[in-house]
Amino acid sequence: MGEFYEKVKERLIRYAKIDTESANGAGRWPTTDGQYDLAGELERELGEIGASDVWLDEENCVVYGTLPSNLDHPAEPLGLIAHMDTAPDASGKDVKPWVLEHYDGGDIVLNEEKGIVMRAADYENLRQYVGQDLILTDGTTLLGGDDKASIASIMTFSEHLAAHPEIPHGEIRLAFTPDEEVGGLAHTLDLARFGAPTAYTLDGDHLGWYMDETFNAAGAAVTIRGLSVHTATAKGIMINAADIAAEYIGFLPPLEKPQYTEGTEGFFFVSSCAASCEHGEIRINIRDFDSAAFAARKAFLNDLADRLNKKYGPGTVTVRIDDQYFNLKEVLKDCPFLVERLKQAISEAGLTPRTAPFRGGTDGSALSFRGLPCPNLSAGYENAHGRFEYVPIQSMEKNVEILLKLAALYAEG
């Protein structure tokens, strides 16, 4: 066992038992009160390890802390950010984490009573963790390694630096935020209080991976106004919003959907459609890596509305499009040292840095366009957002090493 093994294991198991599941459509931020329970725990822990400027923003559920510099020369602060919530895609209540030591490569019985088995043939990523120790659930909930594995690594890293003043490091700025899984995008993070001009988010699967390119993202709400009348006398009068909703969706390019695209290919995703004769509403996610193509996708949805309004009458179809986040690369290309330092830290920790355009977004996508450039370091969890999620303890250990290497690079300047 490595130096950080017990620390990261204990922290993830403890954090996982705190229900921080966020909620879609809650109409408030943070979306759930349970996130305050973890926030309070992190505030207490930061104080105990000797961090300064520790503060829990009670209104917005954001935790801040600082490890002061011990250098005799100025150095740019290192900023680290992770989110506290877990995804509503699977329950985060009553999580029962347990450790499988020395995984042998076979099927894993998560819950003998309920017959829940994670089959090695279904999850090829298990192969690379043979011989390692996995934190799993009982198969009835997610684990919450997304993103509590990152928090465990960041807190262990911070505790180690605070306990070893002989290790040179500049100022370390920390923040833990709510509601990433439901589009919060760290919008309540106070950049002035955070106090670092750049930062790294820690989120994502596969140890040693980093992200410097994400989708541009927007959400479209398509509203359809129909006119109901008795079907016996409907000819020439009825305007069926349900039919028009189907017609609108039918105009979308059939192969430009998530299930048919990969790499840097963009898509339209119809996330919901509810319609009656009188009223219809379609929700569509718009995604593209290329800014021009992203703009063209948004224009296309408005053009479809114009086409149908000419057919059924003005105002029948209206479209509201809200931008959500933009491609991280548009900001990071102007500060390449951020990614170069991250790649160097991963390499010095004994791993091969790997990346690919991320078919999603991170808090860093939004923060970068708020003026805080943020590449992303993977947390190292696997099978996130589901009952078969797991975290190799060795991956969290390795992330502590990566953070220590990164802090050393920032200390050098």
Side-chain angles (χ1 to χ4, degrees), residues 233-244:
T233 57
K235 186 173 181 178
I237 300 173
M238 177 185 286
I239 301 174
N240 191 335
D243 285 344
I244 298 170

Side-chain angles (χ1 to χ4, degrees), residues 8 50 53 57 64 73 78 82 88 102 107 118 140 167 172 182 203 236 255 259 263 267 270 286 344-345:
V8 292
D53 300 325
D57 179 348
Y64 300 86
H73 60 271
L78 169 61
H102 308 298
D107 295 347
M118 179 158 55
T140 64
I167 300 175
I172 312 293
V182 293
D203 196 5
L255 297 181
Q259 61 267 43
F267 60 74
V270 178
I286 308 161
Q344 185 175 344

Side-chain angles (χ1 to χ4, degrees), residues 16 27 45 50 89 95 131 145 164 201 266 273 308 333 337 363 373 387 391:
E45 227 176 308
D89 304 305
V95 176
H164 293 276
T201 54
C273 178
L308 292 171
K333 67 184 181 183
F337 72 92
D363 281 344
R387 297 179 296 115
V391 176

Side-chain angles (χ1 to χ4, degrees), residues 30-49:
T31 60
T32 56
D33 291 334
Q35 296 178 73
Y36 280 107
D37 295 334
L38 180 54
E41 179 71 8
L42 295 176
E43 179 190 33
R44 177 194 63 78
E45 227 176 308
L46 284 170
E48 287 182 354
I49 68 176

Side-chain angles (χ1 to χ4, degrees), residues 215 218-220 249 252-253 256-259 261 266-273 282-287 297 301 359:
F215 271 138
I249 293 172
L252 298 176
E256 295 182 17
K257 299 177 181 180
Q259 61 267 43
T261 55
F267 60 74
F268 296 104
F269 170 51
V270 178
S271 60
S272 68
C273 178
I282 309 166
R283 296 282 179 167
I284 303 174
N285 290 344
I286 308 161
R287 301 289 187 268
R297 288 185 181 279
L301 294 187
R359 294 178 62 79

Side-chain angles (χ1 to χ4, degrees), residues 97-392:
W98 61 283
V99 178
L100 173 64
E101 296 183 347
H102 308 298
Y103 171 57
D104 64 7
D107 295 347
I108 302 173
V109 178
L110 299 177
N111 193 316
E112 188 171 3
E113 179 184 352
K114 296 181 182 296
I116 301 174
V117 178
M118 179 158 55
R119 304 193 183 281
D122 296 334
Y123 297 97
E124 292 187 4
N125 52 23
L126 280 168
R127 296 177 184 173
Q128 62 189 302
Y129 300 113
V130 172
Q132 297 192 29
D133 306 328
L134 312 181
I135 300 181
L136 305 119
T137 74
D138 68 350
T140 64
T141 69
L142 50 64
L143 176 63
D146 178 6
D147 197 28
K148 293 172 182 176
S150 288
I151 299 175
S153 294
I154 291 172
M155 293 298 293
T156 301
F157 155 81
S158 301
E159 181 182 47
H160 184 76
L161 284 186
H164 293 276
E166 72 278 7
I167 300 175
H169 65 84
E171 192 173 61
I172 312 293
R173 292 282 184 165
L174 309 172
F176 304 103
T177 61
D179 291 325
E180 188 269 350
E181 301 290 1
V182 293
L185 296 173
H187 74 279
T188 57
L189 179 67
D190 185 329
L191 300 186
R193 176 173 284 275
F194 181 59
T198 62
Y200 297 87
T201 54
L202 279 81
D203 196 5
D205 44 16
H206 312 320
L207 176 66
W209 286 69
Y210 67 93
M211 300 170 194
D212 63 351
E213 184 172 7
T214 62
F215 271 138
N216 295 292
V222 182
T223 303
I224 303 162
R225 185 182 66 186
L227 177 62
S228 180
V229 65
H230 195 288
T231 54
T233 57
K235 186 173 181 178
I237 300 173
M238 177 185 286
I239 301 174
N240 191 335
D243 285 344
I244 298 170
E247 191 173 354
Y248 188 99
I249 293 172
F251 282 131
L252 298 176
L255 297 181
E256 295 182 17
K257 299 177 181 180
Q259 61 267 43
Y260 303 125
T261 55
E262 61 183 352
T264 57
E265 296 170 333
F267 60 74
F268 296 104
F269 170 51
V270 178
S271 60
S272 68
C273 178
S276 63
C277 186
E278 280 279 338
H279 179 80
E281 184 167 291
I282 309 166
R283 296 282 179 167
I284 303 174
N285 290 344
I286 308 161
R287 301 289 187 268
D288 212 295
F289 286 94
D290 181 80
S291 298
F294 180 57
R297 288 185 181 279
K298 292 187 285 186
F300 176 71
L301 294 187
N302 284 314
D303 290 343
L304 291 184
D306 292 341
R307 185 187 311 182
L308 292 171
N309 284 333
K310 289 177 183 177
K311 182 176 180 179
Y312 295 105
T316 302
V317 181
T318 57
V319 179
R320 189 190 77 243
I321 297 176
D322 296 313
D323 288 328
Q324 296 165 333
Y325 56 84
F326 300 101
N327 190 342
L328 191 56
K329 204 171 192 72
E330 293 301 312
V331 173
L332 295 184
K333 67 184 181 183
D334 295 326
C335 38
F337 72 92
L338 288 172
V339 173
E340 290 307 314
R341 285 180 182 174
L342 184 56
K343 289 165 61 178
Q344 185 175 344
I346 294 170
S347 296
E348 290 182 1
L351 301 172
T352 300
R354 300 183 65 186
T355 191
F358 179 52
R359 294 178 62 79
T362 69
D363 281 344
S365 302
L367 288 170
S368 292
F369 283 87
R370 285 179 57 196
L372 183 70
C374 279
N376 184 75
L377 170 65
S378 171
Y381 51 72
E382 299 283 356
N383 301 344
H385 295 200
R387 297 179 296 115
F388 297 106
E389 182 184 12
Y390 65 93
V391 176

